[in-house]
Amino acid sequence: MNLRIVELGFAYPNGNQIFTEVNFSLKKGEIFTILGPNGAGKSTLLNCIGNLSEPTQGGIFLEKDNIKDLSLRQFAMRIGYVPQIHQPTYAFTVEEFVAMGRTPYLSAFKKLSLQDQRMIEEAMELVRITDLRNKAYTQLSGGERQLVTIARAIAQEPDFILLDEPTAHLDFGNQIKTMKLVKKLSDQGYGVIMTTHNPDQVFFIGGRVGVLNRSGTFEIGVVDQYLSEDLLSRLYNEPVYLFYSNQLNRNICTAGA
Ligand SMILES: Nc1ncnc2c1ncn2[C@@H]1O[C@H](COP(=O)(O)OP(=O)(O)OP(=O)(O)O)[C@@H](O)[C@H]1O
C-alpha cells in the first residue's frame, strides 16, 4: 500500500497560498517527518492528507484511489489522524474514547465484536494507557489526552497514521516515549507521517524528512545527508549545531550558547 502526495497545493479562500508542489510518497512501515517554522503550513498539509481540508491543486492517492473519492468509512480504515489539540465535549472514559476508533468497522446499532475489543485492548497496551481505562477523558492531562488520541487512531487499524506535533504537550520523558512509540508503530507496519518542531526528533527517527519553508516550498531529503547546520540555522533564523554521538550512533541537534 502506497500513500502518494502529488503536486499538492493549498490556498485559503482569502488567497493566502500556503504551499505549492508538495510531492512525496510513503509505504506502510515507513516514517516520514515534516519540519518547518511556525506558520509554514505543516498542520494545513496534514489536514489535506487527513481529508479535513480540500487541496486547491493536486491530490492525495492511496494506490490509485484519490482520497476525495473514498467514503468516510473507507478513508478511516486506511488513514488515522491525531490532531494537535483535541477538545473533548463529553466525559467519555478512556476506553470508550479509544473504542470510537472502531466506528468504521461497526454496522448501525451493532455491539463491539471480540475483534473490536481485542484491537481496543491492543491499542491501549501499545500506548501504555490501560491503567487509565476508566478515567474520564475530560480529567486527563494534555499529555495523557495525546496518548489516548494516538491509541484511538491505532484502534482504527489504518494503514497510515498522521501525527501533528505529537509531543507538543508532553514532558521530556513522555516525548522520548512517544518517539519510541512512533518507531514501534513503523516496526509494526504502520506508515507514519509526523510533524515536529524539534529537529533532534528527526535525527532520532532518521529516514526521510520534508522541509516546508515560509515561502511555501517543500524539499525532501534523507535526514543525515540533507539536514545540515546551515539549512537548519536558516530555517529557524537562529544558530543550530549538530554533534555526532558515537554512543547514540546519530547526530544530536542543539542550540548554540
Ligand atoms: N482560515 C485561514 N485563512 C487564512 N489563513 C489561514 C487560515 N488558517 C490558517 N491560516 C494561515 O496558514 C498558515 C499556515 O498555518 P498552519 O497552522 O498550517 O502552520 P503550521 O506550520 O502548522 O504552524 P505551527 O507550527 O505554528 O503550528 C499560517 O500563516 C496561518 O496564519
Side-chain angles (χ1 to χ4, degrees), residues 10-19 34-47 84 164-165 195-197 212 214:
F10 183 88
Y12 280 102
N14 66 359
N16 190 3
Q17 182 81 45
I18 307 300
F19 50 78
I34 298 175
L35 274 179
N38 282 131
K42 300 176 298 298
S43 296
T44 307
L45 177 57
L46 272 204
N47 281 343
Q84 212 176 110
D164 195 5
E165 284 179 49
T195 67
T196 177
H197 279 302
L212 193 55
R214 282 184 197 84

Side-chain angles (χ1 to χ4, degrees), residues 4 30 35 42 46-47 70 86 99 103 110 136 254:
R4 291 183 298 123
E30 271 189 282
L35 274 179
K42 300 176 298 298
L46 272 204
N47 281 343
L70 299 176
H86 189 270
T103 310
K110 235 179 157 194
T254 185

Side-chain angles (χ1 to χ4, degrees), residues 66-166:
N66 190 321
I67 59 166
K68 73 179 173 98
D69 299 326
L70 299 176
S71 69
L72 277 180
R73 183 185 286 246
Q74 285 170 328
F75 180 80
M77 286 176 174
R78 293 160 93 178
I79 296 188
Y81 185 23
V82 181
Q84 212 176 110
I85 297 161
H86 189 270
Q87 293 297 351
T89 324
Y90 300 109
F92 290 110
T93 66
V94 164
E95 187 173 354
E96 285 166 341
F97 189 87
V98 175
M100 286 177 211
R102 298 306 295 168
T103 310
Y105 300 89
L106 300 179
S107 22
F109 310 117
K110 235 179 157 194
K111 278 172 52 181
L112 294 172
S113 68
L114 281 178
Q115 163 70 1
D116 293 322
Q117 295 283 11
R118 194 176 59 76
M119 271 316 296
I120 295 162
E121 292 301 324
E122 267 185 39
M124 289 195 299
E125 269 166 39
L126 196 63
V127 183
R128 300 203 209 152
I129 51 159
T130 311
D131 54 337
L132 296 176
R133 69 189 311 148
N134 295 319
K135 216 168 165 187
Y137 185 87
T138 43
Q139 288 169 12
L140 300 177
S141 72
E144 288 169 336
R145 282 182 191 175
Q146 187 73 296
L147 295 174
V148 172
T149 315
I150 294 174
R152 184 181 62 173
I154 294 169
Q156 227 172 292
E157 264 187 294
D159 297 307
F160 297 93
I161 298 183
L162 315 177
L163 299 166
D164 195 5
E165 284 179 49

Side-chain angles (χ1 to χ4, degrees), residues 45-56:
L45 177 57
L46 272 204
N47 281 343
C48 289
I49 304 170
N51 218 0
L52 297 174
S53 298
E54 195 174 340
T56 41

Side-chain angles (χ1 to χ4, degrees), residues 11 28 60 98 106 124 158 178 192 223 237:
K28 287 189 68 173
I60 297 126
V98 175
L106 300 179
M124 289 195 299
T178 302
V192 181
V223 172
N237 283 330

